[in-house]
Amino acid sequence: MTPSATAQPTVAQALEIIAAENAVAVRGLDAANGGALDDAARVIRDANRVFLLGAGRSGIALQFTAMRLMHLGLAVHVVGEVTAPAIGEGDVLLVASGSGSTAGIVRAAQTATDVKASVVAITADAASAVSKLATVTLLVEAARKLDRDSTVTAQYAGSLFEQTVVTIGDALFHSLWLDSGQTADELWPRHSNLE
Amino acid sequence: MTPSATAQPTVAQALEIIAAENAVAVRGLDAANGGALDDAARVIRDANRVFLLGAGRSGIALQFTAMRLMHLGLAVHVVGEVTAPAIGEGDVLLVASGSGSTAGIVRAAQTATDVKASVVAITADAASAVSKLATVTLLVEAARKLDRDSTVTAQYAGSLFEQTVVTIGDALFHSLWLDSGQTADELWPRHSNLE
Amino acid sequence: MTPSATAQPTVAQALEIIAAENAVAVRGLDAANGGALDDAARVIRDANRVFLLGAGRSGIALQFTAMRLMHLGLAVHVVGEVTAPAIGEGDVLLVASGSGSTAGIVRAAQTATDVKASVVAITADAASAVSKLATVTLLVEAARKLDRDSTVTAQYAGSLFEQTVVTIGDALFHSLWLDSGQTADELWPRHSNLE
Amino acid sequence: MTPSATAQPTVAQALEIIAAENAVAVRGLDAANGGALDDAARVIRDANRVFLLGAGRSGIALQFTAMRLMHLGLAVHVVGEVTAPAIGEGDVLLVASGSGSTAGIVRAAQTATDVKASVVAITADAASAVSKLATVTLLVEAARKLDRDSTVTAQYAGSLFEQTVVTIGDALFHSLWLDSGQTADELWPRHSNLE
């Protein structure tokens, strides 16, 4: 069968593929991480300040998380924002890196460790450099591509991993929000009122 | 039962809630939109340039989409980037607004229409101001909250809508990618090599 | 003499033009503003948190200022950053708008006033909407274009105004820095260590 | 004389200090660089696409330049924007680094050179790693601090260098603008119309 004989997937079919892959990925998070999920939430909650860093779309995914943690009342900085200061003792760095070996992310995790900040790492490789530096590692097993012929995901590059980072971030927020005892009406006044 | 007697959801339970809500939301997209999903893909593919705009987390979700459309080889601008020029005839503006009535988004959609650019709107309200201006509307019915006591979503504010924007963007990309006939190896060289 | 007969300015000549225009603009700031310059510094210093907002290049100029105010130890947010919360009583909003009538800036200044935050406005029009809302106005007279045939500046559009915003921001910082009694070595550890 | 006996500088005095330092810095650019200033303008004008990168406030200064080059009609990308693709042959990378040895800037300049893109470097050290990789180096001699007790500038850290980058960028634009033969009315329609 030649490519031209194959009907390209419609957007509806693409939605089904993505939804199915995400369902598998999210289901695997509990088994792979156990108590680490709640450990990560606690480390974030108890930190003086939360710093977030990822490269490319992993970084965009963490901006999603950053805004909600701000709504929750935490002191939050996205690395690269002009207002982001230095990390220090008692802070936490939340990073996301599929490979766990992105050079800039590893360096940042090392710096955080050096200054006695905690590191929470979301990665698809538990044996990676970032994992070794992390206080808590959250493993996204479903997004790990073992070789070029991987049938793990039909999506392009790290899309499944990046989508899972979005979901993990929102789950961490959801748990921390309800744990905080604050109502939605108490969070709302923190939403930006100057745009 | 008092709140203090209720065990707060663990992160694993929050993941289940989010996954279940997203499964429902994505399943409803096909029924609600029919051919509009593929119309949106075609309008984006055939535009001279793609501009993306959303407020808050809807805007972050569209940055996710923007990066992938750039990887695909399209000319892409996120509104607010210092390098984003004026939109003009033959361009498309892709916006996301849960209410469909965010003032800045409506103004931008009006401007796009005035200069004869297309507008693709992702919204939870098909009768909204943005929908009325849009060339193609993509409706996210599951995220529409009809009243304060809505049981539509247990998540905070527009989270379900924003997560669905991420999924729609990646589905548009996935369909456009396979339709383009480009391999992953042909997209890869477009990834930023200066960071 | 036709344009084609005129040698275009070299970059060195352009540097001279810009330097000369800036010298005039900066010299005029003291006469135009008197004590308002130090009032602005005090309002910023004494605020709970500093928010900064400008459109286009005026906004970029204020990012310059924002980073230095962070180095000084102030709590700083650039409007539009994902981590920027709502402004409230006791905060200050620092805006820059040449015309003083940019719609989004005027709305933000109104919001700041409504919630009992202070407003410091840098503008070229002391009678503008933003000036009327401001706690302190800093007037950049040299950048005011009275008509299309203005000989005030040879530079394009608001360039002279925007350059002056950079200078004012750094002068506010310089004065606040020395006033704080902190040495350069005390500011340095606040510089981002994660990039 | 103890510090406490010294009246802190007013903002007006700080403005004078900054203006005086900038006058010296700008005056020195011509002598230090000669024809390199116009070479830089030509390299930027003739490139397929212009990429800009700086760390911290040097990066903010280059955003100032980036927006104007877009107004001029060039294809412009700020490194780090989600829409910035890979640099390639025939493109130019414009970097600013006071020390000329910032690790991320040197790596980017090396990558640009490897793919046969040009590099224009603004730096205070002509013997630096970035200078050695650059097609054209623009030297800011006045901002070079030779030792800790330098009396070169009274301002904090790299402020004088960063202010000079703003001025150089606007001078490059001014020269390229007049050279292009475009009127202000021809540039204006490129200004973002969606914000």
Side-chain angles (χ1 to χ4, degrees):
Chain A
M1 192 170 68
T2 63
S4 61
T6 315
Q8 295 311 336
T10 61
V11 176
Q13 288 165 335
L15 284 166
E16 279 174 40
I17 290 167
I18 295 171
E21 291 190 353
N22 273 270
V24 171
V26 170
R27 212 176 302 136
L29 288 172
D30 200 13
N33 296 290
L37 289 163
D38 291 304
D39 291 344
R42 265 189 298 271
V43 168
I44 291 167
R45 183 194 63 193
D46 296 340
N48 292 336
R49 299 176 300 179
V50 185
F51 290 74
L52 301 99
L53 175 66
R57 300 215 321 163
S58 294
I60 300 172
L62 290 178
Q63 290 190 40
F64 232 66
T65 310
M67 189 175 278
R68 276 290 183 264
L69 295 180
M70 176 274 284
H71 292 156
L72 196 58
L74 303 185
V76 183
H77 298 287
V78 171
V79 179
E81 285 182 337
V82 304
T83 56
I87 197 169
E89 187 170 354
D91 296 331
V92 63
L93 174 65
L94 172 57
V95 296
S97 167
S99 69
S101 61
T102 314
I105 310 295
V106 175
R107 275 194 303 272
Q110 182 66 59
T111 299
T113 302
D114 291 347
V115 301
K116 296 190 169 53
S118 301
V119 176
V120 173
I122 308 176
T123 178
D125 184 353
S128 63
V130 158
S131 291
K132 283 169 192 158
L133 290 163
T135 316
V136 182
T137 293
L138 299 183
L139 184 62
V140 184
E141 278 200 326
R144 190 171 185 194
K145 292 192 177 194
L146 296 179
D147 51 48
R148 280 173 175 273
D149 301 315
S150 169
T151 55
V152 161
T153 170
Q155 293 188 73
Y156 177 66
S159 288
L160 178 56
F161 176 77
E162 295 143 8
Q163 291 152 4
T164 310
V165 175
V166 167
T167 307
I168 290 172
D170 277 354
L172 288 168
F173 163 78
H174 190 72
S175 177
L176 286 169
W177 170 37
L178 297 185
D179 180 59
S180 77
Q182 298 176 85
T183 64
D185 286 348
E186 289 172 296
L187 267 62
W188 193 254
R190 296 196 188 100
H191 284 242
S192 175
N193 57 357
L194 294 177
E195 290 176 83
Chain B
M1 193 170 67
T2 63
S4 58
T6 315
Q8 295 311 334
T10 61
V11 177
Q13 288 165 336
L15 283 166
E16 277 175 42
I17 291 167
I18 295 172
E21 291 190 354
N22 273 269
V24 170
V26 170
R27 211 176 303 137
L29 289 173
D30 199 14
N33 295 290
L37 289 164
D38 292 303
D39 291 345
R42 264 188 299 271
V43 167
I44 290 168
R45 183 194 62 191
D46 296 341
N48 292 336
R49 298 177 299 180
V50 184
F51 290 74
L52 300 98
L53 175 65
R57 299 216 321 163
S58 294
I60 301 172
L62 290 178
Q63 289 190 40
F64 231 68
T65 310
M67 189 175 277
R68 276 290 183 263
L69 295 180
M70 176 273 284
H71 292 157
L72 197 58
L74 303 184
V76 183
H77 298 287
V78 171
V79 179
E81 285 183 339
V82 303
T83 57
I87 197 168
E89 187 170 354
D91 296 332
V92 63
L93 174 65
L94 173 56
V95 296
S97 168
S99 69
S101 61
T102 316
I105 310 294
V106 175
R107 276 195 302 271
Q110 184 65 60
T111 299
T113 302
D114 291 347
V115 300
K116 297 190 169 53
S118 302
V119 175
V120 173
I122 308 176
T123 178
D125 184 352
S128 63
V130 158
S131 292
K132 283 169 190 158
L133 289 164
T135 316
V136 182
T137 293
L138 300 182
L139 184 62
V140 184
E141 280 199 327
R144 190 172 185 191
K145 292 192 177 193
L146 296 179
D147 52 47
R148 281 174 174 275
D149 301 316
S150 170
T151 55
V152 162
T153 171
Q155 294 187 74
Y156 176 67
S159 288
L160 178 56
F161 176 77
E162 295 143 8
Q163 291 152 4
T164 310
V165 175
V166 167
T167 306
I168 291 174
D170 276 355
L172 289 168
F173 163 79
H174 189 73
S175 177
L176 286 169
W177 170 38
L178 297 185
D179 180 58
S180 76
Q182 299 177 84
T183 64
D185 286 349
E186 289 173 295
L187 267 63
W188 193 255
R190 294 196 190 100
H191 283 242
S192 176
N193 57 358
L194 295 177
E195 289 175 84
Chain C
M1 193 169 66
T2 63
S4 60
T6 315
Q8 294 311 334
T10 61
V11 177
Q13 289 166 335
L15 284 166
E16 279 175 41
I17 291 168
I18 296 171
E21 291 190 353
N22 273 269
V24 171
V26 170
R27 212 177 302 137
L29 289 172
D30 199 13
N33 296 290
L37 289 163
D38 291 304
D39 291 345
R42 265 188 298 271
V43 168
I44 291 168
R45 183 194 63 192
D46 296 340
N48 292 336
R49 297 177 301 179
V50 184
F51 291 74
L52 301 99
L53 175 66
R57 299 215 322 163
S58 294
I60 300 172
L62 291 178
Q63 290 188 41
F64 231 68
T65 310
M67 189 175 277
R68 276 291 183 263
L69 295 180
M70 177 274 285
H71 292 156
L72 197 58
L74 303 184
V76 183
H77 297 285
V78 171
V79 179
E81 285 184 337
V82 303
T83 55
I87 197 169
E89 187 170 355
D91 296 331
V92 63
L93 174 65
L94 172 57
V95 297
S97 167
S99 70
S101 61
T102 315
I105 310 295
V106 176
R107 276 195 303 272
Q110 184 65 60
T111 299
T113 303
D114 290 347
V115 301
K116 298 188 168 53
S118 303
V119 176
V120 173
I122 307 176
T123 178
D125 185 353
S128 63
V130 157
S131 291
K132 284 170 190 156
L133 290 163
T135 316
V136 181
T137 292
L138 300 182
L139 184 62
V140 184
E141 279 199 327
R144 189 170 186 195
K145 292 191 177 194
L146 295 179
D147 51 49
R148 279 173 176 274
D149 301 315
S150 169
T151 54
V152 161
T153 170
Q155 294 188 73
Y156 177 67
S159 288
L160 177 57
F161 176 77
E162 296 142 9
Q163 292 152 4
T164 310
V165 175
V166 167
T167 306
I168 291 173
D170 276 355
L172 289 167
F173 163 79
H174 190 73
S175 176
L176 286 169
W177 170 38
L178 297 186
D179 180 59
S180 77
Q182 298 177 84
T183 64
D185 286 348
E186 288 173 295
L187 266 63
W188 193 253
R190 295 197 189 100
H191 284 241
S192 175
N193 56 358
L194 295 177
E195 289 176 84
Chain D
M1 191 171 68
T2 63
S4 59
T6 315
Q8 295 311 333
T10 62
V11 177
Q13 288 165 334
L15 283 167
E16 278 174 42
I17 291 167
I18 296 172
E21 291 190 353
N22 273 269
V24 171
V26 170
R27 211 176 302 135
L29 288 173
D30 199 12
N33 296 289
L37 289 163
D38 291 303
D39 291 345
R42 264 189 298 271
V43 167
I44 290 168
R45 183 194 63 193
D46 296 340
N48 292 336
R49 299 177 299 182
V50 184
F51 290 74
L52 301 97
L53 175 65
R57 300 216 321 164
S58 294
I60 301 172
L62 290 179
Q63 289 189 42
F64 231 67
T65 310
M67 189 175 277
R68 276 289 184 263
L69 295 180
M70 177 273 284
H71 292 156
L72 196 59
L74 303 184
V76 183
H77 297 286
V78 171
V79 179
E81 284 184 338
V82 303
T83 56
I87 197 170
E89 188 170 353
D91 296 332
V92 63
L93 174 65
L94 173 55
V95 296
S97 168
S99 69
S101 61
T102 315
I105 310 295
V106 175
R107 275 195 303 271
Q110 183 65 60
T111 298
T113 302
D114 291 347
V115 301
K116 298 188 168 51
S118 301
V119 175
V120 173
I122 308 176
T123 178
D125 184 353
S128 63
V130 157
S131 291
K132 283 169 190 158
L133 289 163
T135 315
V136 182
T137 292
L138 300 182
L139 184 62
V140 185
E141 279 199 327
R144 190 171 184 192
K145 293 193 176 193
L146 297 179
D147 52 46
R148 280 174 174 274
D149 300 316
S150 169
T151 54
V152 161
T153 170
Q155 293 187 73
Y156 176 67
S159 289
L160 176 57
F161 176 77
E162 296 143 8
Q163 291 153 2
T164 311
V165 174
V166 168
T167 306
I168 291 174
D170 276 355
L172 289 168
F173 163 79
H174 190 73
S175 177
L176 286 169
W177 171 38
L178 297 186
D179 180 59
S180 77
Q182 299 176 84
T183 65
D185 285 349
E186 289 172 295
L187 267 62
W188 193 253
R190 296 197 189 99
H191 284 241
S192 176
N193 57 358
L194 295 176
E195 289 175 84

